[in-house]
Amino acid sequence: MNETDYKNEAEQMLLHTYNRFPVVFDHADGVYLYDIEGKKYLDFTSGIGVMALGYRNTEYNEALKTQIDKLMHTSNLYYNVPIIEAAKKVRKASQMDRVFFTNSGAEAVEGAIKAAKNMHIQETDMQGMRLLRCVSRFTGARSVRCR
């Protein structure tokens, strides 16, 4: 198939939630993406942040392959060894007491608002300070009302 065929097929099968750039990628290596014609592009978006280590990173790929054979994913409702090991590494690097892993930007924003509100309540030297939030705007938070 050529580029036009792929684009037409995608428009028939994928919900049009945003405009796509006029390129069809086929593969990637390191920090580069390649279209179906073989043209090389520097990936400035890193897959919108999820491929920050680049593509075909041998160490990362091997770690993923090993983990896939053991345990792919469980909910935060359960304890699991990979999340405990990851939390140890994040705590050590960040010097923080605890770690909160999220699976979306909405959860991250909601967690940050709740943490800031909790800190505001607990810290005595923050008397009189206010938590500033958006009014009538989507902040990414799901259950936190903006007022």
Side-chain angles (χ1 to χ4, degrees), residues 6 16 33 47 49 55 57-58 60-61 74 80 84 87 102 104 127:
Y6 278 116
H16 189 90
L33 295 165
Y55 302 93
N57 177 300
T58 306
Y60 179 70
N61 289 358
T74 63
N80 66 75
I84 295 166
T102 69
S104 70
Q127 296 294 329

Side-chain angles (χ1 to χ4, degrees), residues 22 97 114 132 145:
D97 294 332
K114 288 179 178 179
L132 191 62
R145 289 185 59 194

